[in-house]
Amino acid sequence: MSTDNSKTPQYNRRQWLKSSGTAIGASLLPISITEAGASEKPAVAENTESPKFTSHFLTPAEYKFVDELTETIIPADSHSGGAKAARVADYVDQVLRESVDDTRRTDFREGLRLLDLMARHKSGKSFVDSSPAERIAVLTILSQNISKTEFTEVRFFREIRQLTIRGYYTSKIGIHEDLDYRGNRILNEFVGCDDPPEMHKG
């Protein structure tokens, strides 16, 4: 019995990255997150510790959230490690820590909160506690509405996606394992190509 790998959440990192910038689909955000947010409990619990937490801007709970979120965007596969292995969360924290734009940092935290509210609304669980398929379902809603920048959560998704891609593909894992870049190497001989026979015809 054959398996349709296109329905597997982590089937193809590159396909996800390509499809996450698609035009608006027919679906709308499940609820008005901004309106619902005021009555909801805080999305990120502050007592969650991460064993590799080294950041200075993100709290341990936020760091774990970002770690799981970026891994959902670029998961590990049979070819190379994902965002976790590349420590993309460290990169995200560094960018935010060094930013002089306080609004950007405030909006980032608000984006985390709203994304968590979306996950809770859709599956009844926090984003961190959701399954890979449930996480992707939430991100797919955002990607299908990527041009609706009046939503804070959409603007957040656009930024975290860009930061994840930039952080991953400037890391050792992203460059050498995923892209198979080997750097400049000395060739013992020049391997050229033969001219087509017609090139030598008078």
Side-chain angles (χ1 to χ4, degrees), residues 51-99:
K52 60 181 181 182
F53 175 67
T54 58
S55 63
H56 298 89
F57 171 74
L58 298 172
T59 67
E62 290 169 341
Y63 182 94
K64 182 175 182 179
F65 193 162
V66 172
D67 209 25
E68 296 295 333
L69 174 55
T70 56
E71 180 73 10
T72 304
I73 296 172
I74 303 185
D77 58 19
S78 59
H79 181 65
S80 61
K84 278 187 178 181
R87 301 186 70 88
V88 172
D90 285 346
Y91 170 78
V92 173
D93 180 78
Q94 179 182 352
V95 170
L96 294 170
R97 185 174 71 246
E98 295 177 353
S99 175

Side-chain angles (χ1 to χ4, degrees), residues 31-38 110 113-114 117 150-153:
I31 56 174
S32 176
I33 301 298
T34 304
E35 293 176 1
E110 178 66 0
R113 187 182 73 85
L114 295 177
L117 282 175
E150 67 270 24
F151 289 97
T152 302
E153 57 271 36

Side-chain angles (χ1 to χ4, degrees), residues 139-158:
L139 297 188
T140 298
I141 292 171
L142 293 171
S143 71
Q144 289 174 339
N145 293 274
I146 198 67
S147 67
K148 295 187 176 182
T149 54
E150 67 270 24
F151 289 97
T152 302
E153 57 271 36
V154 171
R155 296 196 302 273
F156 167 76
F157 174 68
R158 290 166 67 108

Side-chain angles (χ1 to χ4, degrees), residues 112-183:
L112 286 176
R113 187 182 73 85
L114 295 177
L115 180 59
D116 199 69
L117 282 175
M118 285 186 69
R120 291 177 187 275
H121 174 82
K122 193 165 183 64
S123 66
K125 294 177 285 187
S126 70
F127 186 88
V128 171
D129 291 334
S130 297
S131 69
E134 289 168 338
R135 294 176 182 180
I136 288 177
V138 172
L139 297 188
T140 298
I141 292 171
L142 293 171
S143 71
Q144 289 174 339
N145 293 274
I146 198 67
S147 67
K148 295 187 176 182
T149 54
E150 67 270 24
F151 289 97
T152 302
E153 57 271 36
V154 171
R155 296 196 302 273
F156 167 76
F157 174 68
R158 290 166 67 108
E159 175 165 41
I160 192 62
R161 187 186 60 183
Q162 292 172 354
L163 289 173
T164 300
I165 294 171
R166 189 179 305 127
Y168 184 78
Y169 286 107
T170 54
S171 71
K172 182 177 180 180
I173 289 176
I175 293 172
H176 296 293
E177 292 185 14
D178 193 65
L179 296 180
D180 292 320
Y181 178 70
R182 296 292 176 263

Side-chain angles (χ1 to χ4, degrees), residues 3-13 15-16 75 132-133 136:
T3 301
D4 183 359
N5 290 332
S6 67
K7 298 186 185 303
T8 302
Q10 297 184 2
Y11 77 102
N12 191 316
R13 158 190 310 142
Q15 189 64 32
W16 161 249
I136 288 177

